[in-house]
Amino acid sequence: MPPGSLPSRLLHARALGAVGALLVMVALTVASHTPGDALPPSPMDGLDKLEHALAWLVLAALLAQATAAGRGWRRLVLAVGLAIGFGVVDELHQASVPGRDLSLIHI
């Protein structure tokens, strides 16, 4: 693949999506493993559902960018499915963290 060719650019875009998704997943995991009393105050006080929605939206968008599942709805369904799967596992683990609870509404 010559540099700058369409396949090269697509591969680069997928790699950036994958790295971005991995970084978001690490950040979400670190945040959910933090005990409730050690959490810093939120700049969006009272809007935690919005914070969660934005985080999962960013993760799904990056996963969609990273996938090679084609275009359109299949790619979107795969990305949303992966984000939901990660969210479920993350929430299940969060239930064992002191001061945190299991809330599937956060996914």
Side-chain angles (χ1 to χ4, degrees), residues 19-93:
V19 169
L22 182 62
L23 290 173
V24 169
M25 292 168 101
V26 167
L28 289 170
T29 300
V30 168
S32 70
H33 285 70
T34 304
D37 60 355
L39 290 171
S42 171
M44 296 174 65
D45 192 34
L47 299 174
D48 66 318
K49 303 297 185 267
L50 180 60
E51 288 175 329
H52 283 88
L54 290 173
W56 296 113
L57 178 66
V58 168
L59 178 59
L62 289 167
L63 288 169
Q65 181 67 34
T67 63
R71 297 181 160 264
W73 67 270
R74 269 191 286 179
R75 190 179 200 174
L76 181 61
V77 168
L78 177 62
V80 169
L82 289 170
I84 289 172
F86 177 77
V88 168
V89 170
D90 189 57
E91 283 293 325
L92 289 171
H93 177 269

Side-chain angles (χ1 to χ4, degrees), residues 49 91 94 101-107:
K49 303 297 185 267
E91 283 293 325
Q94 186 173 305
D101 60 354
L102 170 67
S103 176
L104 294 181
I105 194 83
H106 288 157
I107 299 173

